[in-house]
Amino acid sequence: MNDAASAPTPAPAPRRARVRAPELIGKGGWINTGGKDLKLADLRGRTLILDFWTFCCINCLHVLDELRELEEKHRDTLVIIGVHSPKFVHEAEHQAVVDAVERYEVHHPVLDDPELATWKQYAVRAWPTLVVIDPEGYVVAQHAGEGHANAIRTLVEELEAEHGAKGTLRRGDGPYVPPEPVATDLRFPGKAVLLPSGNFLVSDTTRHQLVELAPDGETVVRRIGDGEFREPQGLAVLPDGKVVVADTVHHALRLFDPATGTSERIAGTGRQWWQGSPTSGPALDVDLSSPWDVAWWQGKVWIAMAGVHQIWTYDPEAGTVEVAAGTTNEGLVDGPAAEAWFAQPSGLAATTDRLWVADSETSALRWIDPDGFVHTAVGTGLFDFGHRDGAADQALLQHPLGVTALPDGSVAVSDTYNHALRRFDPASGEVSTLATDLREPSDAVVVGEDVVVVESARHRLTRLRLPEEAVQVESVAHRTRREATEIGPGGLRLDVVFQAPKGQKLDERYGPSTRLLVSSTPPELLLAGEGTGTDLFRELELNPELTEGVLHVSAMAASCDDDPANEYPACHVHQQDWGVPVKVVEGGAARLPLILAGMDEAAAGA
């Protein structure tokens, strides 16, 4: 048994029996192949990377960006295939996957697997997961989470050299067939604001620009940005009329001046924030991570930092940024800001006494009070969602991306995956539906007695009259469709498998280079084993009175180039969060392996 998690410096993994890659099957069919169905046999002779993703997941979007350079450099020997495995019901709709492939500029074939058939064949447990298959069709590596680009690049180069020498490498054009471009004024717009002039400013996300529209919401006044932005999202108008832009993929904030048409970076370095990086300081010196929305509140710009499940602030007078709420752990936990958990916060709206937060992955509407406490108005956690009106503690949303303050003190929620505009009234504690038959609404702006909705997947702004009576809809509730892992009662050994990439070792120059955080829903599921530690394994004790729940596991490992002659070796952070539904049954597993990087040798009997 090569238990990489239990040793300070993992030994090289023994050579194991090779495992033939299972076939790629998905009821939704193929995208970006010109209508052709692909089989593994068609791709023999190429190195394959299967990218298991779902389009709601910010970490999956980060991995798409990590792979772009590798994909371009090895285009004649490497084929990346996205396997889309849905978390939410909306993500199982084929057209929604087609839209997401265009929205996020996925330039490789994608298999739409709405029933998670291929996910199960490859025993995947987390989004994102990368599986590497050699040119002869055997699985050679599996990686979960972000930060593995360097390790995979090294492996791809090794496989290219090895199979080139063996004569089993086949070069040539890949199976990717780009879709036909579509002419529209906007393409998957993200957010919008009303400028002092009465015009709208819209983040035209897929075209990497801002677009100013006339008051009719249709006539293009001008386009802003020629390389400055990369998938911009949130916008906030400052008291002086300038606009802060969440430059999401550049991990930065920019300040746009409508009077001059110019913009400048005011926060972020352009690099993605990783665990261990500074969380406060001069704004231009601190890394950010996928800022998705911004709002002006209490004299500062508040930032929905989707990439790390936190809320940050930018102080324009001091020129500084700092964390305001959230621990980076993904989930739904209220309380003091420093202890609260968020899950991909994606929308913000400020009123006098509240900062409203659309917390997308928990399908929740939350808020922060002026004293720094986090509260939840609607939502229960990562796995429950749906479309249900009524009392807030029973109401359900589905992956909302926007929230808008309404004149009467209530808020409108852009309930993105329900294709609806919802309303929460703090006075009555009731949730209602204002409008349906929208297509992935991601934001809304109040204009007089109207509300203008950003219909992202219809590529337009849609004006609605604020109704006095709520729309009646049939209630529906869902849970994330993943089979629970059957585990035995009593003790459970949790192993996070991590093998440092070839040529690297764990970075222990400044202390432990690994971290493991374990918790559960409900909290009573774990009698022992919760909390934070530095070993990548944990002995858990389960409550015999409970038969099911979710284990939340967050792991991080840092590795550096193993070259004694190099005083400043290149280092890489690997990290992933898992939410593992479990069911306690007699005869269930006594060990739960989660692969961060490498292969689970214990499971293979090596």
Side-chain angles (χ1 to χ4, degrees), residues 220-405:
V220 175
V221 175
R222 59 175 166 170
R223 295 184 175 275
I224 301 108
D226 184 16
E228 294 100 318
F229 306 107
R230 186 76 182 171
E231 293 184 21
Q233 285 285 349
L235 306 167
V237 180
L238 300 185
D240 63 4
K242 296 180 181 178
V243 181
V244 176
V245 183
D247 195 0
T248 304
V249 173
H250 281 153
H251 308 294
L253 300 185
R254 296 187 69 86
L255 186 65
F256 168 65
D257 186 346
T260 63
T262 60
S263 72
E264 60 176 327
R265 180 169 55 91
I266 56 172
T269 62
R271 298 183 300 270
Q272 183 182 340
W273 186 95
W274 290 95
Q275 289 286 353
S277 300
T279 55
S280 64
L284 291 171
D285 297 337
V286 178
D287 299 340
L288 308 181
S289 182
S290 296
W292 205 273
D293 202 6
V294 282
W296 178 254
W297 191 52
Q298 296 186 327
K300 296 180 180 180
V301 175
W302 292 67
I303 310 164
M305 202 72 76
V308 288
H309 317 300
Q310 290 180 314
I311 308 296
W312 288 42
T313 59
Y314 164 69
D315 184 336
E317 289 206 7
T320 57
V321 292
E322 64 180 352
V323 174
T327 64
T328 74
N329 298 322
E330 184 178 13
L332 193 153
V333 176
D334 290 338
E339 302 171 12
W341 292 21
F342 293 90
Q344 211 169 301
S346 301
L348 299 175
T351 62
T352 303
D353 59 349
R354 297 187 183 191
L355 180 71
W356 293 97
V357 181
D359 204 28
S360 62
E361 280 293 287
T362 52
S363 297
L365 173 64
R366 308 178 69 188
W367 52 282
I368 302 173
D369 67 28
D371 295 324
F373 279 77
V374 177
H375 311 261
T376 297
V378 182
T380 59
L382 287 165
F383 302 101
D384 293 297
F385 57 92
H387 192 154
R388 181 193 290 157
D389 288 335
D393 60 354
Q394 300 293 318
L396 293 172
L397 309 170
Q398 186 181 178
H399 197 78
L401 290 179
V403 58
T404 305

Side-chain angles (χ1 to χ4, degrees), residues 31 53 172 188 291 321-322 379 392 439 467 481 483 545 547 549 579 587 596 604:
I31 303 166
W53 69 300
F188 297 104
V321 292
E322 64 180 352
R439 187 67 186 172
R481 297 189 302 168
E483 292 182 4
E545 298 180 1
T547 59
L596 180 59

Side-chain angles (χ1 to χ4, degrees), residues 387-390 395 397 421-425 430-435 469-473:
H387 192 154
R388 181 193 290 157
D389 288 335
L397 309 170
L421 191 68
R422 310 287 293 283
R423 175 179 178 263
F424 170 67
D425 183 359
E430 294 283 316
V431 175
S432 56
T433 298
L434 295 176
E469 297 295 331
V471 176
Q472 296 297 313
V473 297

Side-chain angles (χ1 to χ4, degrees), residues 148-181:
H148 302 291
N150 184 69
I152 291 176
R153 179 171 58 251
T154 300
L155 178 56
V156 166
E157 291 170 352
E158 288 178 356
L159 291 172
E160 188 173 296
E162 174 188 341
H163 289 271
K166 288 173 63 177
T168 51
L169 185 73
R170 179 167 58 91
R171 295 180 181 271
D173 293 335
Y176 169 64
V177 178
E180 291 293 325

Side-chain angles (χ1 to χ4, degrees), residues 32 102 176-183 187:
N32 281 354
E102 180 189 349
Y176 169 64
V177 178
E180 291 293 325
V182 181
R187 205 69 193 161

Side-chain angles (χ1 to χ4, degrees), residues 414-428:
S414 295
D415 195 4
T416 309
Y417 288 2
N418 279 328
H419 310 301
L421 191 68
R422 310 287 293 283
R423 175 179 178 263
F424 170 67
D425 183 359
S428 66

